Amino acid sequence: MTDKLDIYINETTQSDIDEILTIEAIAYGKHHWSRDSFVSEINNKIAKYYSVKIPTGELIAYIGFWNIVEEAHITTLAVNDNFKRKHIAEALIAKMLEDCYNNYIKYITLEVRASNTPAIKLYQKYGFKSLGVRKGYYQDNNEDALIMWTENIFGDKYKKLYLENVKKIDEYLIIK
């Protein structure tokens, strides 16, 4: 096994936006979110954003989601290309799930590009299932989005899945 990577997961602040925009532009191309969009989201009372930094202080990933009654909706998730395939996105999903458990949020939903196989596999690992399609959802190429949902995360089956996945994350990351 390789050395574990130290990371810090904290709530995103406005001072993080410049680094987020750098990752966002690479991850999502010319149709990425603007500075104003992120400022608005960070100040949105139903939104929650977490960022991942390494010990040098560099921001390497982020996740955003809305909490609406008993449902969370993932709005964005991206990882710096140099840190992909290192379980960073998983750590962010686990952090979001922890937040959902603490706030009695039962279900999680998201849209993902139909062609984004690595993301789809990651979401499936966390119990998301595709329950529909949004035709032509993405503006840049009119690509369809899969609509994915979890079952009730408070169910025994889902809790077991969550705990198994979190345990595996600990094999790769030291989360502070």
Side-chain angles (χ1 to χ4, degrees):
M1 176 158 69
T2 61
D3 291 332
K4 291 184 179 185
L5 177 64
D6 287 357
I7 63 170
Y8 301 86
I9 301 178
N10 294 300
E11 284 193 46
T12 300
T13 65
Q14 289 196 25
S15 65
D16 296 324
I17 293 175
D18 286 339
E19 288 180 282
I20 285 173
L21 287 171
T22 300
I23 296 169
E24 179 84 0
I26 293 167
Y28 298 108
K30 70 179 187 173
H31 290 279
H32 67 81
W33 286 12
S34 68
R35 170 180 297 285
D36 288 343
S37 294
F38 277 104
V39 169
S40 176
E41 282 293 294
I42 289 169
N43 292 312
N44 182 344
K45 290 187 184 338
I46 66 166
K48 190 79 161 209
Y49 279 74
Y50 290 106
S51 297
V52 176
K53 293 184 180 182
I54 55 176
T56 63
E58 178 186 1
L59 190 147
I60 61 167
Y62 56 92
I63 190 171
F65 54 99
W66 297 339
N67 291 333
I68 306 167
V69 189
E70 57 185 28
E71 176 187 317
H73 179 83
I74 298 175
T75 56
T76 190
L77 171 61
V79 177
N80 175 311
D81 283 350
N82 295 326
F83 291 90
K84 286 186 176 177
R85 315 296 286 167
K86 296 184 184 296
H87 306 275
I88 306 295
E90 278 194 69
L92 283 168
I93 291 170
K95 180 67 173 173
M96 180 210 55
L97 283 162
E98 178 185 311
D99 190 85
C100 289
Y101 281 122
N102 290 336
N103 290 290
Y104 305 102
I105 307 275
K106 293 180 182 178
Y107 305 96
I108 305 156
T109 184
L110 59 86
E111 291 92 9
V112 62
R113 285 183 186 270
S115 66
N116 192 345
T117 304
I120 293 166
K121 285 182 179 179
L122 173 62
Y123 295 133
Q124 288 172 335
K125 182 177 180 179
Y126 280 82
F128 286 83
K129 293 178 177 66
S130 179
L131 298 178
V133 175
R134 294 196 197 283
K135 294 285 185 189
Y137 183 78
Y138 292 97
Q139 296 173 359
D140 61 337
N141 64 359
N142 210 33
E143 184 175 353
D144 295 345
L146 300 181
I147 305 166
M148 300 185 82
W149 286 84
T150 63
E151 61 189 62
N152 184 333
I153 67 170
F154 287 89
D156 290 339
K157 181 178 158 191
Y158 193 90
K159 281 184 181 177
K160 181 180 178 194
L161 175 71
Y162 165 75
L163 292 172
E164 288 171 358
N165 284 333
V166 169
K167 188 175 180 181
K168 290 177 188 172
I169 293 169
D170 290 341
E171 295 175 17
Y172 301 97
L173 300 172
I174 299 171
I175 302 172
K176 300 177 179 177

